[in-house]
Amino acid sequence: MVPDTTTSPRTGRQELLTALGEIEQRVLWLSAATIDHANRVRPNPTGLKVGGHQASCASMVSIMTTLWFHELTADDRVSVKPHASPALHAVNHLLGELPAEALTTLRSFGGLQSYPSRTKDADPVDYSTGSVGIGATAPIWGALARRYVEGRFPGAGTGRQYALLGDAELDEGACWEAVQDPMVAGLGEVVWIVDLNRQSLDRVVPALSAERLAGMFEAAGWQVLTLKYGEQLTELFSRPGGEALRTRLDTMGNPEYQRLLRCTPAELRDRLPGTGSTREPLERLIATLDDDALHSAVRNLGGHDLGALLDAYAAIDDTRPTVILAYTVKGRGLHSEGHPQNHSSLLTRDQLADLATRTGADLDDPWRPLPADSAAARLCAERAGELRRPPVERITPPPVPTDFGRTPGGTGTTQQAFGRALLDLSRSAPEAAARVVTVSPDVSSSTNLGGWLNKVGVWSPTERVDWFADDAETILHWRENPTGQHVELGIAETNLVGLLGELGATWSRWGQPLLPIGIMYDPFVNRALEPWQFGIYAGGQSLLVGTPSGVTLAPEGGAHQSITTPSLGLEQPGCTTWEPAFAQDTEWCVLAALSLLGRPDGGSAYLRLSTRPVDQSLAAVPADPAARERRRRQAVAGAYGLRRAEGTPDVTLAAMGAMVPEALAAADRLASLGVAADVVCVTSPGLLFRATQARRGLDDAPQWILDQAFPADRAAPLVTLLDGHPHTLAFLGTVHNTPVTPLGVTHFGQSGALDEVYRHHGIDTESVVRAALDLTHRP
């Protein structure tokens, strides 16, 4: 236990604890009543289960009450575990942020969300949660993002970043990847409070060890505060037989302890003493307790002791991250408390009526406010004023140019073009470049970020000595200081996209827009996809760059050859995907992606790049300024006609990314066979798909790109080609209802030379020619 160091400037400690106790009971009631209304009161003509988690809310009530009604400041941010969302709504209702009628809309269409949502809830929510592990780690990346913003664009202020999480959430590896990342140890504003109720969805966890968890956090440099027992049990430990009681509880397995919570006082007197040497002294000790005292003592854990929680908050060391391991009872105060299957159970009508009586609420008027003259109501009003945040003044991001005006020549890769585009941005648009922050998981040098890093430096809260600055053979200069614009994390992609999401949300949190870019190997994008898409759902806008990609990574073998990533733009809401073929297209698409970031009407983007050297003259970029601008608009919109055959085409070859040279070579071969082939360079399958949906009245996206890239008078059978799964472009046959043969990669790759690997997957020039001849029925 931590020492009692908390005093209140508003009132004496006991008066404060009494008021907090009244609020705690009302939060318990409101969270349970909100879930009950959603399931039993609101009409449900379909009979579909609505759901909710009364027990999960109950275990958090004490923690949330002490936080919001005593500890938090307006600058603090809190991530609330998903299943405690009704408790969060109850808290915000008591603070005057949410009207009573809103509590009747939980899980209804357009109402309060099942899990806290920054973008969909009418309720003030700091962090969207709902995907296990992400809500826990988000405040870590939020703290880092706030520090970055404050260092470059003052105004983000200070404040702690809290995560309220369940103990089962610590099973997620993403939590431990974040806890031990080298960038995290100095984030003293990060506080995790673990609801240690020792239950998961299905059962009591048999071997959960707080001591083991504490050791893991301590090894990562975190402060650990453990709240195991409350004031009543602590006092009992000091009595004769008290040490035996402590020993018995400390050595008792989780399932046995949970079973005690379901016992009558008579059963407790028989079960609690156990069978060992503690039995006799324990029997004498509990004989001095009446039934009510014994009943309450068994469940008197630190996570429900208001005073112990206040003391823990006062003991937080703001020089390093802190975790508070708060022992709790799942379902505390409900008839289902401690039951192994209480996760989503609902109180009966009689049980709810009993809860109303015990908490001072009214079953027939569930949203009745606290008595206006009560200390609890006064504390709610006082805290509402203290926690109210002023409106955020949002700064419009600086304009991003659309074209640097130069045409790349020679031979180059799209990966190289990306690195060059960042440097060109710093020269052509320094105000926009100042908002760029790049993030990578230890792959900066291998993804062509070297020039950018040498120019802008690496971000660090404090300046560090670069001991290789005077080494003549050092090409990548690792200058770490608070003005750097690159953040290097350990090699964990989930950390990268977690930070990316928070950097992409600074425009809405503090009004300061950033242009965050994350770079990782494309084969590992799928590993990071779920937390990245959750960041998009939460309002984070960023550019994710996957490079290098596909089976074009021939020597790397199947383990490093991505297949499914090209279709992200088709399937991920709030994200535009581009896969350019040429350096010029890459520049245009990067600039278009950056222009989407940091604004209410913006969105995220994904670029899939390649290390395949390509002759840039194949791009045939128009020299005329008007024609060049037309090409740019088409490339950014999703596709452009790269080569048109004379007269009416017999076939159209629609290729994307690294495969465009094969399509051009196939067009030449087909021409020699008397088959006229158009070649269309696809840059964004997602934008083209939206355009086809809009043509059918199923989307509001612009349609003009279809008429320019696939004009009706040139409609012909299609061969689609990409270094990825062929379904990505298969829909193009619906543009004019033409036959289509989609070529791509459908199985794991092989190591080898590029021509061998392409031939193995049927995406080489020969395969394209054969597919075109089959479609045109040529001999």
Side-chain angles (χ1 to χ4, degrees):
M1 300 291 290
V2 296
D4 182 345
T5 57
T6 299
T7 58
S8 170
R10 293 185 288 271
T11 182
R13 182 177 176 88
Q14 190 52 53
E15 288 82 358
L16 171 65
L17 293 177
T18 299
L20 288 174
E22 293 179 35
I23 295 172
E24 174 191 39
Q25 291 302 296
R26 187 52 58 100
V27 173
L28 176 63
W29 164 255
L30 288 173
S31 59
T34 297
I35 296 169
D36 182 78
H37 189 280
N39 285 272
R40 293 206 174 97
V41 180
R42 192 171 64 228
N44 182 9
T46 65
L48 188 68
K49 176 186 174 183
V50 176
H53 303 85
Q54 291 172 332
S56 294
C57 289
S59 64
M60 290 293 298
V61 162
S62 306
I63 294 169
M64 295 177 69
T65 297
T66 50
L67 263 185
W68 267 269
F69 296 96
H70 181 271
E71 187 64 23
L72 294 181
T73 71
D75 288 331
D76 296 337
R77 299 290 189 273
V78 188
S79 171
V80 178
K81 75 173 189 179
H83 292 161
S85 64
L88 176 62
H89 302 321
V91 165
N92 282 328
H93 168 64
L94 292 175
L95 291 171
E97 298 285 355
L98 196 66
E101 55 268 22
L103 298 177
T104 68
T105 68
L106 179 70
R107 298 190 173 211
S108 67
F109 185 79
L112 296 175
Q113 298 300 296
S114 308
Y115 310 127
S117 171
R118 290 190 71 227
T119 55
K120 293 183 178 295
D121 264 317
D123 203 2
V125 172
D126 291 332
Y127 288 98
S128 295
T129 59
S131 189
V132 175
I134 294 176
T137 57
I140 290 178
W141 313 124
L144 203 155
R146 187 206 59 78
R147 286 199 182 196
Y148 183 92
V149 169
E150 181 63 18
R152 298 188 62 84
F153 312 103
T158 57
R160 288 175 178 166
Q161 302 281 331
Y162 291 88
L164 310 184
L165 61 151
D167 49 11
E169 203 160 359
L170 292 176
D171 290 345
E172 284 289 338
C175 291
W176 299 105
E177 288 182 350
V179 163
Q180 60 81 44
D181 191 276
M183 290 296 293
V184 173
L187 298 177
E189 63 268 48
V190 172
V191 180
W192 280 14
I193 305 177
V194 180
D195 172 15
L196 204 69
N197 60 47
R198 294 172 280 183
Q199 283 188 236
S200 62
L201 190 151
D202 293 327
R203 61 173 182 159
V204 176
V205 180
L208 178 67
S209 170
E211 291 76 15
R212 179 176 61 85
L213 293 176
M216 294 166 70
F217 278 105
E218 287 171 345
W222 287 50
Q223 177 192 24
V224 179
L225 302 174
T226 301
L227 299 181
K228 188 168 188 179
Y229 301 119
E231 182 179 355
Q232 184 183 3
L233 272 176
T234 302
E235 191 277 327
L236 285 177
F237 295 154
S238 66
R239 298 185 188 182
E243 279 305 312
L245 176 60
R246 182 193 289 271
T247 299
R248 173 79 169 114
L249 292 175
D250 282 345
T251 57
M252 184 181 296
N254 296 333
E256 183 182 4
Y257 171 76
Q258 297 280 112
R259 183 64 185 88
L260 292 180
L261 300 175
R262 310 293 300 169
C263 290
T264 66
E267 291 171 327
L268 271 176
R269 295 182 189 279
D270 177 57
R271 287 176 179 255
L272 180 57
T275 59
S277 61
T278 62
R279 184 170 184 87
E280 186 176 337
L282 270 180
E283 285 179 332
R284 289 197 299 268
L285 174 61
I286 64 178
T288 67
L289 304 177
D290 62 29
D291 286 353
D292 289 342
L294 179 60
H295 180 271
S296 62
V298 170
R299 49 194 33 80
N300 181 228
L301 300 182
H304 298 299
D305 190 298
L306 303 179
L309 285 163
L310 296 183
D311 294 341
Y313 304 150
I316 291 172
D317 176 4
D318 286 322
T319 67
R320 54 180 173 150
T322 294
V323 61
I324 300 175
L325 300 175
Y327 280 75
T328 61
V329 174
K330 192 166 184 175
R332 178 72 153 85
L334 307 180
H335 282 73
S336 60
E337 69 177 2
H339 194 282
Q341 278 85 54
N342 66 6
H343 182 76
S344 57
S345 64
L346 295 173
L347 298 179
T348 67
R349 185 69 175 176
D350 289 343
Q351 291 169 346
L352 195 69
D354 178 66
L355 179 64
T357 300
R358 288 188 286 110
T359 59
D362 187 340
L363 183 63
D364 297 322
D365 186 11
W367 323 121
R368 185 184 69 187
L370 290 164
D373 60 348
S374 67
R378 290 194 297 271
L379 180 56
C380 288
E382 183 179 345
R383 291 297 290 156
E386 293 171 350
L387 294 176
R388 192 158 293 124
R389 298 168 184 162
V392 174
E393 182 182 351
R394 291 176 180 169
I395 295 174
T396 302
V400 176
T402 58
D403 191 341
F404 293 133
R406 64 174 181 79
T407 304
T411 299
T413 74
T414 55
Q415 179 176 288
Q416 292 169 342
F418 166 71
R420 191 179 305 115
L422 291 182
L423 291 174
D424 287 344
L425 182 70
S426 65
R427 290 187 285 265
S428 301
E431 288 189 5
R435 299 273 172 175
V436 171
V437 52
T438 54
V439 187
S440 73
D442 198 35
V443 293
S444 301
S445 56
S446 57
T447 54
N448 281 86
L449 277 184
W452 168 256
L453 262 66
N454 287 342
K455 183 174 182 62
V456 303
V458 178
W459 182 84
S460 173
T462 58
E463 188 162 359
R464 297 175 181 173
V465 176
D466 179 5
W467 293 104
F468 288 86
D470 58 350
D471 187 329
E473 296 184 8
T474 298
I475 299 175
L476 183 64
H477 298 290
W478 207 257
R479 296 180 290 107
E480 296 180 89
N481 55 65
T483 63
Q485 290 180 243
H486 175 78
V487 182
E488 186 86 357
L489 299 176
I491 192 161
E493 286 79 9
T494 54
N495 286 349
L496 179 143
V497 295
L499 175 57
L500 206 59
E502 291 305 317
L503 291 168
T506 59
W507 66 273
S508 60
R509 289 197 194 283
W510 301 292
Q512 290 288 356
L514 296 176
L515 308 181
I517 304 173
I519 304 96
M520 67 173 67
Y521 287 169
D522 195 72
F524 309 132
V525 166
N526 282 334
R527 180 187 300 174
L529 186 56
E530 191 254 350
W532 185 58
Q533 68 184 8
F534 203 84
I536 295 175
Y537 169 77
Q541 299 172 1
S542 61
L543 168 58
L544 182 62
V545 178
T547 182
S549 63
V551 299
T552 300
L553 270 169
E556 295 284 344
H560 276 187
Q561 296 174 356
S562 53
I563 297 173
T564 61
T565 49
S567 62
L568 289 184
L570 294 172
E571 299 151 2
Q572 175 57 50
C575 172
T576 301
T577 292
W578 284 286
E579 185 171 344
F582 301 107
Q584 185 63 77
D585 297 348
T586 303
E587 172 195 304
W588 288 335
C589 292
V590 167
L591 295 176
L594 293 178
S595 70
L596 297 173
L597 306 180
R599 57 184 70 249
D601 59 345
S604 293
Y606 163 67
L607 254 68
R608 189 175 190 250
L609 304 180
S610 174
T611 49
R612 182 187 184 182
V614 172
D615 178 2
Q616 297 302 306
S617 67
L618 295 176
V621 179
D624 180 82
R628 177 188 177 97
E629 173 59 14
R630 181 173 183 266
R631 166 70 70 85
R632 185 199 68 80
R633 292 182 68 246
Q634 291 173 340
V636 168
Y640 57 87
L642 180 57
R643 183 182 297 179
R644 300 296 191 196
E646 293 186 11
T648 302
D650 299 305
V651 68
T652 297
L653 310 179
M656 184 167 73
M659 305 311 304
V660 169
E662 272 61 39
L664 291 170
D668 291 338
R669 290 271 300 277
L670 289 168
S672 70
L673 297 173
V675 178
D678 281 356
V679 178
V680 176
C681 181
V682 175
T683 54
S684 176
L687 290 176
L688 294 182
F689 181 75
R690 288 196 62 192
T692 61
Q693 291 291 86
R695 180 172 283 182
R696 295 168 175 81
L698 301 175
D699 202 308
D700 58 358
Q703 308 172 36
W704 61 267
I705 187 60
L706 297 179
D707 296 326
Q708 294 193 9
F710 301 95
D713 61 353
R714 301 190 70 79
L718 269 166
V719 176
T720 63
L721 178 66
L722 75 154
D723 184 356
H725 200 283
H727 84 85
T728 306
L729 298 179
F731 72 92
L732 289 176
T734 68
V735 173
H736 295 299
N737 295 319
T738 54
V740 59
T741 298
L743 301 181
V745 179
T746 57
H747 50 278
F748 292 116
Q750 302 285 340
S751 297
L754 204 59
D755 58 342
E756 295 173 319
V757 171
Y758 282 177
R759 186 163 54 251
H760 172 74
H761 290 283
I763 54 175
D764 59 325
T765 299
E766 295 281 341
S767 298
V768 178
V769 170
R770 285 197 300 270
L773 293 175
D774 288 343
L775 278 175
T776 56
H777 305 292
R778 296 302 176 95

